Amino acid sequence: MKPLLAALRAVLVLTAVCGVLYPLAVTAVAQVPGLKDHANGSPVSVNGRGVGSELIGQSFSDADGRPLRRYFQSRPSAAGDGYDPTATSASNLGPEDIVDRDGEPSLLSTVCARSRAVGELEGVDGSRPYCTGSGVGAVLSVRPDRVTSVNEPCPAAPFVAEYRGVKVECATPGQDPRAGRIVPVRGAAPADPAVPADAVTASGSGLDPHISVAYAELQARRVAAARGVPVGAVRALIDEETTGRALGFMGEPVVNVLRLNIALDRAAPRRG
Amino acid sequence: MLTSTLPASAPAALRKLDPRFMWRNPVMFVVEIGAAWTTVMAVLDPSAFAVLITTWLWLTVIFANLAEAVAEGRGKAQADTLRRTRKATTARRLTDAGEETVAAAELRRGDLVVVEAGQVIPGDGDVIEGIASVDESAITGESAPVIRESGGDRSAVTGGTRVLSDRIVVRITQRPGESFMDRMIALVEGASRRKTPNEIALTILLAALTIIFLVAIASMQPLAIYSVANSPGVEGGFALGSHGVTGLVLVSLVVCLIPTTIGALLSAIGIAGMDRLVQRNVLAMSGRAVEAAGDVDTLLLDKTGTITLGDRRASEFIPVGGTTGAELADAAQLSSLADETPEGRSIVVHAKEAYGLRERHAGALTHAAWVPFTAQTRMSGVDVDGRRLRKGASGAVTDWVRGQGGEVPSALADVVDRVSASGGTPLVVAAAENGDVRVLGVVHLKDAVKAGMRERFDRMRAMGIRTVMVTGDNRLTAKAIADEAGVDDFLAEARPEDKLSLVRAEQAGGRLVAMTGDGANDAPALAQADVGVAMNTGTSAAKEAGNMVDLDSDPTKLIEIVEIGKQLLITRGALTTFSIANDVAKYFAIIPALFVALFPGLDALNVMRLSSPQSAILSAVVFNALIIVALIPLALRGVRYRPSSASRLLNRNLLVYGVGGVVAPFAGIKIIDLVVQLVPGMQ
Amino acid sequence: MGATTAGILFVGSLILVLVAVHVPLGDHMHRTFTSRHHWTAERLIYRIVGVDPDAEQVWSGYARSVLAFSVVSVLALYGLQRLQGRLLLSLGYGGVDPDVAWNTAISFVTNTNWQAYSGESTMGHLVQMSGLAVQNFVSAAVGIAVAMAFVRGLARRRTGELGNFWVDLTRAVLRVLLPIAAIGAVALVAGGAIQNLADPHTVTTLTGAEQTITGGPVASQEAIKELGTNGGGFYNANSAHPFENPTSWTNWIEILLILLIPFSLPRTFGRMVGDRRQGVAIVAVMATLALLSVTLLNTAQLAHHGTVPESVTAATEGTESRFGVSNSATFAAATTLTSTGAVNSFHDSYTSLGGAVTLLNMMVGEVAPGGVGSGLYGMLILAIVTVFVAGLMVGRTPAYLGKRIGPREIKLASLYFLVTPMIVLVGTGIAMAFEGPRGSMLNTGPHGLSEVLYAFTSAANNNGSAFAGLTVATTFYDVALGLAMAFGRFLPIVLALALAGSLARQTPVPASAGTLPTHRPQFVGMVAGVTLILVALTFFPALALGPLAEGIH
């Protein structure tokens, strides 16, 4: 009994020290000028109205989820319906998640679909290795006598006609796609696709406020066109909102999408 | 040798398959259960593969038992020889009334028996009366008779040995059935063998590894079932079904992974270690003592008989006054001709070696009058052709010179002191001729260190063992000998009880101490020491107290005993390392074989390019069994041990048994696979 | 500068700073745990707790105190979660479900910080800062205390006493963890981590949509979460969340905090046993394994083998842009090499071989450098096992630091290294044998198997990171993983203390040329080798059916 009593008292006193005094002391220090803004979430406001946090990414799409052409687009997000800070999450899908299941697209098909969509939006080639032209994973289920394209349910036309002399069929709904050896087909897509990696993958938090410089550059032409300003002006803004590696070697150079879009709105207000 | 004992040991190996015996070796017990299980499976669902796997699993168990049986067999042969010499003897017991004849088995402790020339000594005891020469070849194998006499440190006699001359009275010191011979038989047979602490520790580690692998393989089953279920369109191959990995393959995998190599050889290593001692005529009373020998930090060595030859020898003639060396040598030689002590002989020898003086025979000098050494005069000499020569202790000879009216040169005292200071003994030689009495010089007698001692002690030092010389000599003499012999430390003017306190002091510092002893007053120290080697020539008390007995009574053997102890531990460690290192290759053989049908990519792990999954698994099992047989000689002989620092020793053994243990099975399994793939049903 | 070069500099700068800092910090901890002087504040605490700080405990007394403190901690944390709805700062969240509350209580008390809940939608500020964060401090302090008791077992001679748990606990919190955590917290705020007690508030975004911006005492919790190798995030996204880890340089600081104490404790150990070289050898084993792992993980992630990464052309799924692939991999290595389990990127989406490395890191038993305290005693016990096998090969009864490894010692050491793999393998086996637990997998095939294997490996090794696709908010996983965490933490602690008690009683054997030297590169290589071989042999079958089956084509 004695150690239990001592333990109870110890838990209480250490809770007071570590669970009350410490966080309150740190909070007090954090409220000094210079830290205060950070401690309160780095809020960003436009014309005095809070529009979010510099650190929390946002979606720049319309009510139906279609990307707004006049804004730079953030990365895909797995947080709730996208950039929901109350449901932060990653996709958690694995590197070999390549077979669609019950209408749920696999990670590969998701990547392919995103790539195709970004390609269309930005007017570049959206093809990628292991993707079909229709924007799903190019994956075959191979049995000696029968080959199916597992991510292309009938009546779709399979992305290849033949595999090693056997005719490739579309996937019959309801059939177990694993009924053969699963073979992804790389296809003829260029090794260096036009759509950058961060544009087709979800971040860890689902709140990534940044995109790569390459993805920003890719979007510059479309945004400039939508706003009717020269591409050079947009590129200049990208440069301004680009954060290099800390101390030259930590992390990667990134562009803050919210700040870039706010800067855009300020520099080139939408006409009409 | 092995080829002859292997078949002989086979019946014993089969008898050991009895589970009541097997369970004492947890690793091999698991193999036996596995073999029994595969036997059932092979009967229910026969195939070439099943029969071959089952056969080789049984062979694995049998090979392990064979290793132990062979090791025991060597001891058994020796025990049988001993038994033959132990005939039913009768004893002549002394009673108040006189003498009675009883069977040797009826003798009790404290009984007095008489033994005369030609009779066999009926039991262990001490000579309390008389002196006799005894043939101890029955236990030592040495045919030269030894002297046993009452009252000294050579009083112990052993039952079963034969008195060759004279008559002795022996007080029996053994209890019935516990004679030295009985214990010796039990020891070499391994009947009284208990696991040593280190063996127990290693067994625990091996059991832990066995459990880990059992669990690793058992838990693989649901994973395998899931994997099969997840690939409905793919054939699992011969090893995999919808119920997971087949039992046959599972058992093979377990047997290959658990440390069977060391598990099979562990007990053989221990028995063989004892056996190696027996071959050097040392009897260890327990395996623990042998192990402790490997750990020894401090060796206490008696000076006399161990480090030095035990007698002093002339090493130098130092003339004083106007005498020449040759003159002195001549006088010294002449005065020693009749001196048959080792010192006297050594003077003659040195005179010949150093000055080329031809040896003269005492008998040739017919008119010489020899003056023998007496405790009163403390000198000896000769009177020949009017010349009187005397040699002896400095005081005695100078007194004689002064008494004859001669002068003692002042230089003499310096020489005498110098010789004493160097640990030597000065003998002063003087001559009186025609009234001219003068001191000729000094013979330097030195306690001679045995050849090769320094090298041996250097080796000990490299092994991290501190050597301490124990002697009754004064500090000065002791230091000189210690320096010459190269021991690390010495204890001078030691009384028997000092030995005990030295042993205790060393142990208090956490060190393990080994020592030899023979006298009754050595017994407490022998009992206290971690390794106490009693000389067979010594007293019964010493033999009781020590945990080893050297039948050759050679005190320098302690060094070999230490090496054997170390070799025993090294062999265990090396084979454990080898056994575990082997698993790497076995995994690379079996895991791809199991799952390659399901996941063709895993073929990349089949680095040995084994011909088929069946052949891969069988080859691993066969290798696992054959490696036991291949290593039996090593287990019996022990890993080669060369004294050197721990670091260097470890580097070598790691390279041979660690790296070698990883590499060897890759080659071995590949070679076996090349043969096995030809067997029908292996594709 | 290329991404690879920058990644190497990132690792190199961490190494440089650790090399510089581990000496003063290790020495500070040595003073802390050997000093006879009590601070006034500490005396006050001892009076409240009701213990005599100058009375030492034998191993069993020490173990009883550890267990009593942990049991009470679990109950307190469970109660606090269950009563959340009626307390302050609950943000409107009700009491936590019993399953989750039990799992979470065990999880934080065992220094695992496995999260079966989503922080931002389950836990109010009070539970976070006065419940979870308190355990971040004290569970780490327990680890340090046990490590110190273990080292005393090696350092002392002929005594049964291993120190006083309450003193070690208090000093670890007051003299080591609190000061560093406070500095770390302020640094994180400077980088952008939030620190307030505000409720979530909703803003209208640039496009007119609504977004809820959360508040909370995040920085104070984040600092101790990394420093105490805890890993339980304030948010579900853990250190990937911009409010927890806002910039590439806060990322660097967080990795440093993770590695700081585990890499400094060997120095403390060396000082306590009176031979700094022994500490250097231990830290060298840890560093060798850690560097190997960081290199492998970075290589695997940058090489991005696998269908999806090759389609994407980089392993960016589940990583934050500001950190990039390489720094994410370095964080992943640090968090799995220690028992932290915080993540700044999501391991489930890593390449197969990269994911295998994170798994292997945990399977190594969290010793390179491992959790605060637990890494040190784990590594020392591995050293003892190594000494046993290798020591035989020099022809002596094995001894470590002069303490002989006899049957009792090897029995305890064997059980120690048996416990965790057994929990992992048995747990994984059971989960995979039943339909229900299998249904929790997000991914199919080998990757699904890896998710389950990862969960039990993480729980039993008290790591807390996850292949987060697995749905673990089920009764089976809450209970099974809770048990895995509890057994994986406390069985080894009791065994380690028993071993320490056994070692403390011995008279050490003096070293000689015949003793196996345990401070040379030879020994370092051997311990690393033994560790890797034991782990590889134990887990090879499971790894073959999981990440290897998935990753080798």
PDB file of all heavy atoms in Angstrom, chain C residues 326-342:
ATOM      1  N   SER C 326      13.959  13.676 -48.188  1.00  0.00           N
ATOM      2  CA  SER C 326      15.126  13.257 -47.407  1.00  0.00           C
ATOM      3  C   SER C 326      14.974  13.585 -45.927  1.00  0.00           C
ATOM      4  O   SER C 326      15.206  12.736 -45.066  1.00  0.00           O
ATOM      5  CB  SER C 326      16.382  13.923 -47.967  1.00  0.00           C
ATOM      6  OG  SER C 326      17.462  13.675 -47.121  1.00  0.00           O
ATOM      7  N   ASN C 327      14.585  14.826 -45.611  1.00  0.00           N
ATOM      8  CA  ASN C 327      14.454  15.181 -44.193  1.00  0.00           C
ATOM      9  C   ASN C 327      13.307  14.424 -43.529  1.00  0.00           C
ATOM     10  O   ASN C 327      13.338  14.167 -42.330  1.00  0.00           O
ATOM     11  CB  ASN C 327      14.249  16.682 -44.016  1.00  0.00           C
ATOM     12  CG  ASN C 327      15.473  17.468 -44.418  1.00  0.00           C
ATOM     13  OD1 ASN C 327      16.468  16.895 -44.866  1.00  0.00           O
ATOM     14  ND2 ASN C 327      15.411  18.774 -44.278  1.00  0.00           N
ATOM     15  N   SER C 328      12.296  14.078 -44.316  1.00  0.00           N
ATOM     16  CA  SER C 328      11.227  13.243 -43.772  1.00  0.00           C
ATOM     17  C   SER C 328      11.772  11.877 -43.414  1.00  0.00           C
ATOM     18  O   SER C 328      11.461  11.316 -42.357  1.00  0.00           O
ATOM     19  CB  SER C 328      10.092  13.090 -44.791  1.00  0.00           C
ATOM     20  OG  SER C 328       9.516  14.347 -45.049  1.00  0.00           O
ATOM     21  N   ALA C 329      12.604  11.326 -44.301  1.00  0.00           N
ATOM     22  CA  ALA C 329      13.184  10.004 -44.045  1.00  0.00           C
ATOM     23  C   ALA C 329      14.077  10.053 -42.817  1.00  0.00           C
ATOM     24  O   ALA C 329      14.078   9.130 -41.990  1.00  0.00           O
ATOM     25  CB  ALA C 329      13.985   9.538 -45.260  1.00  0.00           C
ATOM     26  N   THR C 330      14.832  11.132 -42.664  1.00  0.00           N
ATOM     27  CA  THR C 330      15.707  11.256 -41.495  1.00  0.00           C
ATOM     28  C   THR C 330      14.885  11.320 -40.214  1.00  0.00           C
ATOM     29  O   THR C 330      15.215  10.686 -39.213  1.00  0.00           O
ATOM     30  CB  THR C 330      16.596  12.503 -41.638  1.00  0.00           C
ATOM     31  OG1 THR C 330      17.336  12.384 -42.847  1.00  0.00           O
ATOM     32  CG2 THR C 330      17.558  12.633 -40.472  1.00  0.00           C
ATOM     33  N   PHE C 331      13.796  12.071 -40.269  1.00  0.00           N
ATOM     34  CA  PHE C 331      12.897  12.127 -39.109  1.00  0.00           C
ATOM     35  C   PHE C 331      12.336  10.728 -38.821  1.00  0.00           C
ATOM     36  O   PHE C 331      12.294  10.282 -37.676  1.00  0.00           O
ATOM     37  CB  PHE C 331      11.758  13.119 -39.383  1.00  0.00           C
ATOM     38  CG  PHE C 331      10.928  13.471 -38.170  1.00  0.00           C
ATOM     39  CD1 PHE C 331      11.039  14.726 -37.561  1.00  0.00           C
ATOM     40  CD2 PHE C 331      10.028  12.562 -37.625  1.00  0.00           C
ATOM     41  CE1 PHE C 331      10.274  15.060 -36.440  1.00  0.00           C
ATOM     42  CE2 PHE C 331       9.256  12.888 -36.507  1.00  0.00           C
ATOM     43  CZ  PHE C 331       9.377  14.136 -35.922  1.00  0.00           C
ATOM     44  N   ALA C 332      11.931  10.044 -39.876  1.00  0.00           N
ATOM     45  CA  ALA C 332      11.351   8.701 -39.704  1.00  0.00           C
ATOM     46  C   ALA C 332      12.355   7.754 -39.064  1.00  0.00           C
ATOM     47  O   ALA C 332      12.013   6.954 -38.189  1.00  0.00           O
ATOM     48  CB  ALA C 332      10.891   8.148 -41.047  1.00  0.00           C
ATOM     49  N   ALA C 333      13.613   7.869 -39.497  1.00  0.00           N
ATOM     50  CA  ALA C 333      14.642   7.012 -38.901  1.00  0.00           C
ATOM     51  C   ALA C 333      14.808   7.360 -37.429  1.00  0.00           C
ATOM     52  O   ALA C 333      14.845   6.477 -36.570  1.00  0.00           O
ATOM     53  CB  ALA C 333      15.966   7.179 -39.651  1.00  0.00           C
ATOM     54  N   ALA C 334      14.897   8.666 -37.132  1.00  0.00           N
ATOM     55  CA  ALA C 334      15.108   9.086 -35.746  1.00  0.00           C
ATOM     56  C   ALA C 334      13.964   8.622 -34.854  1.00  0.00           C
ATOM     57  O   ALA C 334      14.174   8.136 -33.745  1.00  0.00           O
ATOM     58  CB  ALA C 334      15.258  10.602 -35.669  1.00  0.00           C
ATOM     59  N   THR C 335      12.767   8.750 -35.352  1.00  0.00           N
ATOM     60  CA  THR C 335      11.614   8.457 -34.513  1.00  0.00           C
ATOM     61  C   THR C 335      11.437   6.958 -34.288  1.00  0.00           C
ATOM     62  O   THR C 335      10.943   6.540 -33.252  1.00  0.00           O
ATOM     63  CB  THR C 335      10.350   9.088 -35.114  1.00  0.00           C
ATOM     64  OG1 THR C 335       9.329   9.068 -34.135  1.00  0.00           O
ATOM     65  CG2 THR C 335       9.864   8.348 -36.339  1.00  0.00           C
ATOM     66  N   THR C 336      11.863   6.138 -35.261  1.00  0.00           N
ATOM     67  CA  THR C 336      11.722   4.697 -35.067  1.00  0.00           C
ATOM     68  C   THR C 336      12.958   4.091 -34.402  1.00  0.00           C
ATOM     69  O   THR C 336      12.872   3.049 -33.768  1.00  0.00           O
ATOM     70  CB  THR C 336      11.440   3.964 -36.391  1.00  0.00           C
ATOM     71  OG1 THR C 336      12.368   4.410 -37.376  1.00  0.00           O
ATOM     72  CG2 THR C 336      10.035   4.250 -36.877  1.00  0.00           C
ATOM     73  N   LEU C 337      14.102   4.760 -34.536  1.00  0.00           N
ATOM     74  CA  LEU C 337      15.305   4.283 -33.843  1.00  0.00           C
ATOM     75  C   LEU C 337      15.206   4.545 -32.355  1.00  0.00           C
ATOM     76  O   LEU C 337      15.744   3.809 -31.538  1.00  0.00           O
ATOM     77  CB  LEU C 337      16.548   4.991 -34.390  1.00  0.00           C
ATOM     78  CG  LEU C 337      17.059   4.502 -35.732  1.00  0.00           C
ATOM     79  CD1 LEU C 337      18.063   5.487 -36.299  1.00  0.00           C
ATOM     80  CD2 LEU C 337      17.700   3.130 -35.601  1.00  0.00           C
ATOM     81  N   THR C 338      14.562   5.649 -32.012  1.00  0.00           N
ATOM     82  CA  THR C 338      14.262   5.908 -30.618  1.00  0.00           C
ATOM     83  C   THR C 338      12.854   5.378 -30.421  1.00  0.00           C
ATOM     84  O   THR C 338      12.210   4.957 -31.370  1.00  0.00           O
ATOM     85  CB  THR C 338      14.275   7.407 -30.337  1.00  0.00           C
ATOM     86  OG1 THR C 338      13.289   8.015 -31.146  1.00  0.00           O
ATOM     87  CG2 THR C 338      15.624   7.991 -30.653  1.00  0.00           C
ATOM     88  N   SER C 339      12.355   5.386 -29.201  1.00  0.00           N
ATOM     89  CA  SER C 339      10.994   4.868 -29.046  1.00  0.00           C
ATOM     90  C   SER C 339       9.997   6.002 -29.196  1.00  0.00           C
ATOM     91  O   SER C 339       8.957   5.998 -28.578  1.00  0.00           O
ATOM     92  CB  SER C 339      10.846   4.172 -27.697  1.00  0.00           C
ATOM     93  OG  SER C 339      10.766   5.130 -26.677  1.00  0.00           O
ATOM     94  N   THR C 340      10.308   6.982 -30.039  1.00  0.00           N
ATOM     95  CA  THR C 340       9.477   8.181 -30.097  1.00  0.00           C
ATOM     96  C   THR C 340       8.125   7.924 -30.754  1.00  0.00           C
ATOM     97  O   THR C 340       7.082   8.013 -30.126  1.00  0.00           O
ATOM     98  CB  THR C 340      10.213   9.293 -30.849  1.00  0.00           C
ATOM     99  OG1 THR C 340      11.499   9.417 -30.289  1.00  0.00           O
ATOM    100  CG2 THR C 340       9.463  10.602 -30.736  1.00  0.00           C
ATOM    101  N   GLY C 341       8.181   7.629 -32.040  1.00  0.00           N
ATOM    102  CA  GLY C 341       6.925   7.366 -32.721  1.00  0.00           C
ATOM    103  C   GLY C 341       6.219   8.603 -33.233  1.00  0.00           C
ATOM    104  O   GLY C 341       5.144   8.512 -33.816  1.00  0.00           O
ATOM    105  N   ALA C 342       6.785   9.785 -32.986  1.00  0.00           N
ATOM    106  CA  ALA C 342       6.241  10.965 -33.656  1.00  0.00           C
ATOM    107  C   ALA C 342       6.532  10.799 -35.135  1.00  0.00           C
ATOM    108  O   ALA C 342       7.505  10.152 -35.511  1.00  0.00           O
ATOM    109  CB  ALA C 342       6.917  12.216 -33.125  1.00  0.00           C
TER     110      ALA C 342
END
